[in-house]
Amino acid sequence: MQGHGREVILGVGGGIAAYKSCDLLRRLQDCGFLVTVVPTPSSLNFVGAATWEALSGRAVTSEVFESVEEVRHVSLAKKANFIIIAPATADLIARITAGRADDLLTNVILAADVPVLIIPAMHPQMWNDPATTSNVRLLRERGFSILEPEVGALTSGDIGKGRFPDTAKILEAFAEITDVSSDFLGKKVLVTAGGTREQIDPIRFIGNQSSGKQGYAVALQALRRGAEVVLVSANATLPDIEGVRTIHVESAAQMHEAVRDEFSGCDLLVMAAAVADARPATVNSAKIKKGDFSSIDLAENVDILKSLNEVKTHQIVVAFAAETSHDDASAVAKMHSKGADILYLNDVSGGDIFNSETTYGEIFLKSGERVRVAKTTKDTLAQELLDHALHQLGLSNV
Ligand code: CTP
């Protein structure tokens, strides 16, 4: 199971098996999942927040009224790809069934719309009680996955069904609900994002409208599909993606250098950045005063994609073209001249793509095929481009 970059909430209920979840947390991290632990307040009697913080490397809170400014129950719910609750006590199961929201974990469960795996552990009498049986049935009907507890000796000295299963068993059940695709495992993906800035003087620059959102979406989706991802980011204000090696650059020349250094070791280059075609021929070391401005002499920047043509071996290259007017022939010509295998063309004349969460346009493939992309999220476009790239890398099963 490969969890590259997927966010997991590990909910911990107030049972003695809470300490066994420390191992589960470690194994989830080994698989590449990014785990935030949300213990119930009563579980802190067994394993304290400090242990979870040290093991997960992330802040740990139990109540909604902690870190209120973050609206943590909503931010955690939005970020999560999966929730796993281990151990789940009879009380926690009852509260989830009733739709209660009396601690952070139950709030997150209500606010999230992601697969949930519940690992119950309790005394056999409590597990077999009609109230618990009915709660478990109801939750299963609502789509929750609930692992049957193991039969064996319990902390109370009794023997019966209620034991917390081995970590391996839990991971097996988790693999079924995550269905994490790892078709880019072993592949290195290089992505550029944002817009370059070409300095005029210490204060001013020539820049462009690119927010970097599309490139970051490609980097995140490639990471989630198992790739090793390097992102060359030009002036994007987006937060770094955990698990992605990000190289921050400003100018086209710096981007060129970073891409050239990384390109030979990569399998796929997605050149989503808006690179300035020209820079001021000279950079003024002092601020240019109002009266001294008449014109700016420009020098041409290196065409990064074209420069890679000579060193390209097995790599698949995806180019982007943001146009205000175009025809298909010029799009195809641009793809070929850049040595690209795929080109995504979007019409930005409406001004509604830059900094937007959505995009629309057309994908041109080297084979001559064209695929229209109706308005969709930048994540979905990223997935589609990765599918085409994978196909061209000769790895696709379809
Ligand atoms: N690109 C590049 N190096 C440059 C300029 C652009 O590698 N100096 C890349 C972009 O990242 C993009 C693709 O080339 O993936 C197409 O960018 P675009 O600006 O449309 O291409 P240009 O060659 O600048 O063509 P145009 O004259 O239409 O601006």
Side-chain angles (χ1 to χ4, degrees), residues 4-244:
H4 278 90
R6 301 269 173 151
E7 289 283 345
V8 175
I9 302 288
L10 173 59
V12 182
I16 178 66
Y19 79 91
K20 295 187 179 172
S21 274
C22 296
D23 181 49
L24 176 61
L25 165 60
R26 278 285 192 237
R27 300 290 80 80
L28 287 167
Q29 290 170 325
D30 290 345
C31 293
F33 290 103
L34 304 170
V35 188
T36 305
V37 183
V38 183
T40 62
S42 66
S43 79
L44 298 176
N45 290 309
F46 294 104
V47 180
T51 304
W52 293 125
E53 287 194 345
L55 291 176
S56 69
R58 290 180 163 191
V60 168
T61 49
S62 294
E63 303 276 14
V64 187
F65 294 104
E66 293 170 280
S67 308
V68 176
E69 74 289 355
E70 292 175 29
V71 199
R72 208 158 147 74
H73 64 294
V74 177
S75 61
L76 285 175
K78 272 192 187 155
K79 194 167 77 162
N81 298 110
F82 309 105
I83 297 175
I84 175 164
I85 302 163
T89 58
D91 172 67
L92 181 51
I93 290 173
R95 287 191 293 125
I96 299 169
T97 312
R100 302 272 305 253
D102 38 16
D103 57 19
L104 181 60
L105 179 57
T106 45
N107 270 276
V108 171
I109 294 167
L110 273 183
D113 184 19
V114 297
V116 182
L117 173 65
I118 296 179
I119 318 294
M122 63 195 78
H123 188 271
Q125 205 79 38
M126 297 171 86
W127 174 251
N128 289 320
D129 188 277
T132 307
T133 309
S134 142
N135 288 337
V136 167
R137 195 188 56 244
L138 258 171
L139 286 180
R140 283 187 172 137
E141 280 169 16
R142 291 183 202 155
F144 288 74
S145 302
I146 304 182
L147 200 62
E148 290 289 310
E150 303 267 283
V151 177
L154 290 127
T155 321
S156 60
D158 297 317
I159 294 177
K161 191 172 185 179
R163 272 174 66 88
F164 190 76
D166 286 346
T167 304
K169 255 220 167 109
I170 299 173
L171 289 179
E172 219 172 90
F174 193 53
E176 273 174 38
I177 72 156
T178 55
D179 187 25
V180 172
S181 159
S182 47
D183 47 6
F184 270 83
L185 198 63
K187 297 289 150 200
K188 184 170 166 186
V189 176
L190 177 59
V191 185
T192 67
T196 65
R197 283 180 187 173
E198 311 302 323
Q199 218 62 43
I200 299 169
D201 66 14
I203 293 157
R204 307 177 182 94
F205 57 81
I206 300 173
N208 61 66
Q209 293 267 37
S210 178
S211 66
K213 283 184 180 169
Q214 186 60 71
Y216 274 64
V218 174
L220 179 64
Q221 298 308 324
L223 177 77
R224 287 183 171 173
R225 288 169 71 159
E228 176 193 345
V229 184
V230 179
L231 176 64
V232 182
S233 170
N235 310 299
T237 52
L238 301 163
D240 282 0
I241 302 169
E242 220 175 312
V244 168

Side-chain angles (χ1 to χ4, degrees), residues 201 203-204 284 286-296:
D201 66 14
I203 293 157
R204 307 177 182 94
N284 253 66
K287 180 183 172 187
I288 304 172
K289 302 305 276 181
K290 207 185 300 175
D292 301 336
F293 254 128
S294 54
S295 62
I296 301 173

Side-chain angles (χ1 to χ4, degrees), residues 271 273 275-277 302-305 319-321 323 334 338:
M271 195 76 194
V275 185
D277 293 318
V302 174
D303 189 311
I304 301 174
L305 278 182
F320 275 66
E323 311 279 7
K334 186 177 271 192
K338 299 262 177 186

